[in-house]
Amino acid sequence: MNTFDCIYSRRSTRRYKQVPVELEKVQKVIEAGRFAPSGGNNQSAHFFVILKKDVIQKLVALVEKAFAKMEVTEGMYKSLRNSILQSKKGGYVFCYDAPVLIIVANQKDYGNNMADTACAIQNMMLEANELDLGSCWINQLRWLNEDPDLLAYLQELGMHEDERVYASVIIGYPETEDGLPLRKALDRKGNEVTWV
């Protein structure tokens, strides 16, 4: 698969088979993230590769608890609104039961923390697509990156005090008939281009 085809055919996957991903494939996805560009070649991203179901379940419980305490406000971003409403109902699973959750943290006072993390996440999603794995960018941990319970648990897992979560990605085998990601490109309804 060439680069453009990989970009053009990448889609978000939100339903996964409950089978583990081979460690070699997970390592390739992580390396793609580690080799993403970073401001001044700072390389300050901190990758948490979570394969243990009990750790993912603990994060799911903490996320649901944190969102359930929040209130919806007018004009709120629709995905954040949905996370709050679903958490209040109960049974909210922010990571779609994917077998692999990769959390990317960075230094909270570093000016390129979000940009560097975004480059790493995009690289990992493209590598996952090349490896016939589904992936999806996950924002919920970033939205809750100052929640004291989540911070404490992430610090137990090894996150440094001066770091915060700026994005996450899930990967796994899609729950499709052939086990491959959906690859039909969606029409563009935005992302305006102006030629000058």
Side-chain angles (χ1 to χ4, degrees), residues 39-164:
N41 198 28
N42 197 39
Q43 299 182 33
S44 59
H46 188 170
F47 298 83
F48 294 85
V49 186
I50 304 177
L51 306 171
K52 294 179 179 176
K53 208 171 189 106
D54 62 320
V55 174
I56 292 174
Q57 288 171 342
K58 173 78 171 178
L59 287 166
V60 165
L62 288 169
V63 165
E64 183 180 64
K65 179 182 171 193
F67 279 133
K69 291 184 212 171
M70 297 170 70
E71 295 302 324
V72 171
T73 59
E74 191 174 326
M76 181 178 272
Y77 176 56
K78 69 179 183 179
S79 293
L80 176 55
R81 179 182 179 275
N82 291 341
S83 295
I84 293 168
L85 293 175
Q86 290 176 26
S87 292
K88 287 181 183 295
K89 287 180 188 173
Y92 177 58
V93 180
F94 76 96
C95 55
Y96 303 104
D97 287 318
V100 181
L101 170 63
I102 302 166
I103 300 170
V104 185
N106 212 315
Q107 298 163 2
K108 66 180 181 178
D109 294 327
Y110 167 54
N112 283 340
N113 49 31
M114 189 65 198
D116 290 2
T117 301
C119 289
I121 294 286
Q122 179 70 11
N123 273 15
M124 290 189 287
M125 290 190 304
L126 292 174
E127 182 59 23
N129 190 32
E130 183 181 12
L131 295 170
D132 292 332
L133 297 169
S135 69
C136 187
W137 184 305
I138 300 293
N139 272 318
Q140 285 81 347
L141 294 173
R142 179 181 65 83
W143 294 333
L144 298 170
N145 75 5
E146 292 296 337
D147 179 83
D149 295 335
L150 264 168
L151 268 177
Y153 186 58
L154 290 167
Q155 287 171 356
E156 279 179 41
L157 297 176
M159 191 171 81
H160 306 299
E161 282 188 31
D162 66 341
E163 293 177 333
R164 293 296 181 271

Side-chain angles (χ1 to χ4, degrees), residues 160-189:
H160 306 299
E161 282 188 31
D162 66 341
E163 293 177 333
R164 293 296 181 271
V165 174
Y166 289 96
S168 307
V169 66
I170 51 175
I171 61 171
Y173 287 102
E175 194 176 272
T176 57
E177 223 174 272
D178 60 5
L180 295 173
L182 298 175
R183 290 193 164 125
K184 182 180 178 209
L186 297 174
D187 291 335
R188 299 293 90 188
K189 60 183 180 184

